[in-house]
Amino acid sequence: TSYFHHADVPQRMLNTVIVAFGAGLVSIISGSMAGYALARIPLRGAGTIGVLILMSRGVPPIALAVPMFLVARKLGMTDKHTLILAYCTFLIPYVMWLMRGFFKSLPRELEESAMLDGCSRFGAFIKIIVPISLPGLISTLIFCVILAWEELLFALVLTNRNATTIPVAIAGIAGDTVNGANWGALTAVGTLTVIPVVIFALLVQKWLIQGLADGATKG
């Protein structure tokens, strides 16, 4: 109990929820629109752009962490929930790549008929494509939240106390070389970290399974 009070585990858990779901929502909104643009709008080199997006996932996070820290410190954005923006740098390419493939599998006649009825392309995307693609969007959102939930490096570099997340707390327990790792606290905090993700996955498993099945069928 004393360790939980000292490490402020409830606040770190709240920070993790805010940052993970915030980054997931921002990424799914912006990434899905970008993926739709790559899938539908005639653009020279769209295939190359898609490959570059996929390749960006291979950039080591440590190569981005230091420049990101310098920029965040200059703008006064360290140790804040703007950590969401840092997470978006690796989540948005992931969403763009997945949703681009999902949107390309949908028939173009859906948007064309809506646009003939007076909808703009953006209106057709919101009213027609998004409802049809909802299972795919939700399953991608689930993966984004899980990836953001367990992320350590950016949280370790860009936060200090106020916006620190649970993975940083776990790293602090495991890396205590002075007193030795507190295995009881490590187990307790690790369990608390896993439980919300498991509950979340169980609650949304219907949409996750449907999204994966739709992607496999349409792909």
Side-chain angles (χ1 to χ4, degrees), residues 21-39 41 53 84-100 103 122 125-126 130 137 140-141 144:
F21 281 91
L25 288 173
V26 172
S27 298
I28 202 70
I29 292 171
S30 54
S32 62
M33 289 191 289
Y36 177 77
L38 288 176
I41 298 176
I53 291 169
I84 289 172
L85 301 178
Y87 284 7
C88 288
T89 60
F90 64 86
L91 291 178
I92 289 178
Y94 174 78
V95 175
M96 288 174 64
W97 179 259
L98 286 181
M99 296 312 301
R100 174 178 176 267
F103 292 141
F122 182 73
F125 172 71
I126 295 296
V130 169
L137 289 168
T140 304
L141 174 62
C144 286

Side-chain angles (χ1 to χ4, degrees), residues 133-194:
S133 306
L134 200 56
L137 289 168
I138 293 176
S139 61
T140 304
L141 174 62
I142 294 167
F143 286 119
C144 286
V145 170
I146 292 174
L147 287 173
W149 188 277
E150 63 185 17
E151 203 284 327
L152 171 63
L153 180 62
F154 288 160
L156 191 61
V157 172
L158 297 175
T159 64
N160 181 27
R161 180 68 186 182
N162 295 329
T164 301
T165 58
I166 277 292
V168 178
I170 294 176
I173 303 170
D176 188 352
T177 57
V178 177
N179 301 316
N182 187 335
W183 293 107
L186 184 61
T187 302
V189 177
T191 302
L192 283 176
T193 304
V194 171

Side-chain angles (χ1 to χ4, degrees), residues 13 42 54-55 72 94 96 102 116 136 166 170 176 202 205:
M13 182 65 75
L54 182 62
M55 290 177 62
Y94 174 78
M96 288 174 64
F102 197 94
L116 286 174
I166 277 292
I170 294 176
D176 188 352
L202 290 174
Q205 64 177 334

Side-chain angles (χ1 to χ4, degrees), residues 69-135:
F69 169 75
L70 296 175
V71 172
R73 186 177 64 176
K74 187 73 173 179
L75 297 176
M77 296 170 61
T78 56
D79 203 21
K80 295 181 179 178
H81 289 138
T82 47
L83 178 63
I84 289 172
L85 301 178
Y87 284 7
C88 288
T89 60
F90 64 86
L91 291 178
I92 289 178
Y94 174 78
V95 175
M96 288 174 64
W97 179 259
L98 286 181
M99 296 312 301
R100 174 178 176 267
F102 197 94
F103 292 141
K104 286 186 70 174
S105 67
L106 298 176
R108 291 179 177 270
E109 289 78 9
L110 294 172
E111 299 110 295
E112 292 173 355
S113 60
M115 292 169 70
L116 286 174
D117 290 337
C119 272
S120 62
R121 181 174 289 276
F122 182 73
F125 172 71
I126 295 296
K127 296 178 181 178
I128 306 297
I129 300 301
V130 169
I132 294 175
S133 306
L134 200 56

Side-chain angles (χ1 to χ4, degrees), residues 37-38 41-50:
L38 288 176
I41 298 176
L43 179 65
R44 179 180 295 179
T48 304
I49 294 174

